[in-house]
Amino acid sequence: LVLSFDSDDAGVKATEREHVGQLSQEKPMLDSLDIVVLIVSFESRASVVRYASEPGLPGAVVADTQRELFAGYAMGRASVYDVWGPKTWWAYARSLLGGAKLRSSTGDTSQRGGNVLIDPEGIVQMHHVGRGPSDRPSVSTISEVVLAATERRP
C-alpha cells in the first residue's frame, strides 16, 4: 500500500499532481507488484469527491480533513522557502513547458505531503516527508523498495 499525501488543489500543488500523474502512468507496473495506491487529501470532502471523479487516478482518494493521518506520519508544515524555493519554481517551469495551465491555490500551501509504503504485514517500508511540493520519491524508488522488501520475506 502506498499512501500518497497530497492536496487536490490544482493550483500551486501542480507539482504534487505531477507525482500522482507519474503513479498513474506506472499503474500497470504498480499492479504487477501488488501495490495499491491510496491518495490522502486534507481538503474538504466535497473537494475530495471532485478530485476522486477525475479520470486516470492511480487509486482511491480519501479525505483526512482533521489531518490525523498527516500528523501520524509527521507530515507537518513546510517553510516558505520549501514551498516557494528554486526546486518548486523549476517543477512549475517543467509543468508549464509541458503544457500545464496553473491556477491560483485555494488550499493550504504549507501542508507537507509525502509517501508512505506499508507492506502486507503493516510494516512501514518507506516513509518520505516532502520538503516541498516537488519533493517526492520516484515511482522507480517505490518499486525498488517493494522488490527489496519482497526479497527479505521468508
Side-chain angles (χ1 to χ4, degrees), residues 18 90-101:
E18 181 179 316
W90 175 241
Y92 286 132
R94 282 195 321 267
S95 293
L96 288 170
L97 290 171
K101 303 240 188 300

Side-chain angles (χ1 to χ4, degrees), residues 47-97:
S47 186
V48 168
V49 167
R50 279 192 305 276
Y51 185 27
S53 69
E54 292 182 13
L57 291 177
V61 183
V62 296
D64 181 20
T65 58
Q66 300 300 312
R67 303 180 197 207
E68 292 171 358
L69 282 171
F70 281 83
Y73 287 107
M75 308 280 174
R77 313 293 294 168
S79 71
V80 171
Y81 182 81
D82 287 339
V83 175
W84 295 108
K87 288 183 180 183
T88 301
W89 285 109
W90 175 241
Y92 286 132
R94 282 195 321 267
S95 293
L96 288 170
L97 290 171

Side-chain angles (χ1 to χ4, degrees), residues 5 20 25 31-32 54 56 60 66 73 77 89 97 103 106 112 122 132:
F5 289 85
V20 171
Q25 288 175 344
D31 288 344
S32 74
E54 292 182 13
Q66 300 300 312
Y73 287 107
R77 313 293 294 168
W89 285 109
L97 290 171
R103 302 185 319 226
T106 59
R112 288 191 190 276

Side-chain angles (χ1 to χ4, degrees), residues 65-143:
T65 58
Q66 300 300 312
R67 303 180 197 207
E68 292 171 358
L69 282 171
F70 281 83
Y73 287 107
M75 308 280 174
R77 313 293 294 168
S79 71
V80 171
Y81 182 81
D82 287 339
V83 175
W84 295 108
K87 288 183 180 183
T88 301
W89 285 109
W90 175 241
Y92 286 132
R94 282 195 321 267
S95 293
L96 288 170
L97 290 171
K101 303 240 188 300
L102 301 181
R103 302 185 319 226
S104 63
S105 176
T106 59
D108 181 356
T109 60
S110 62
Q111 173 63 60
R112 288 191 190 276
N115 291 87
V116 178
L117 178 63
I118 305 169
D119 73 14
E121 286 79 39
I123 298 169
V124 173
Q125 295 292 332
M126 182 184 75
H127 179 240
H128 178 86
V129 179
R131 288 181 150 316
S134 63
D135 181 24
R136 296 305 167 95
S138 68
V139 176
S140 63
T141 297
I142 293 169
S143 63

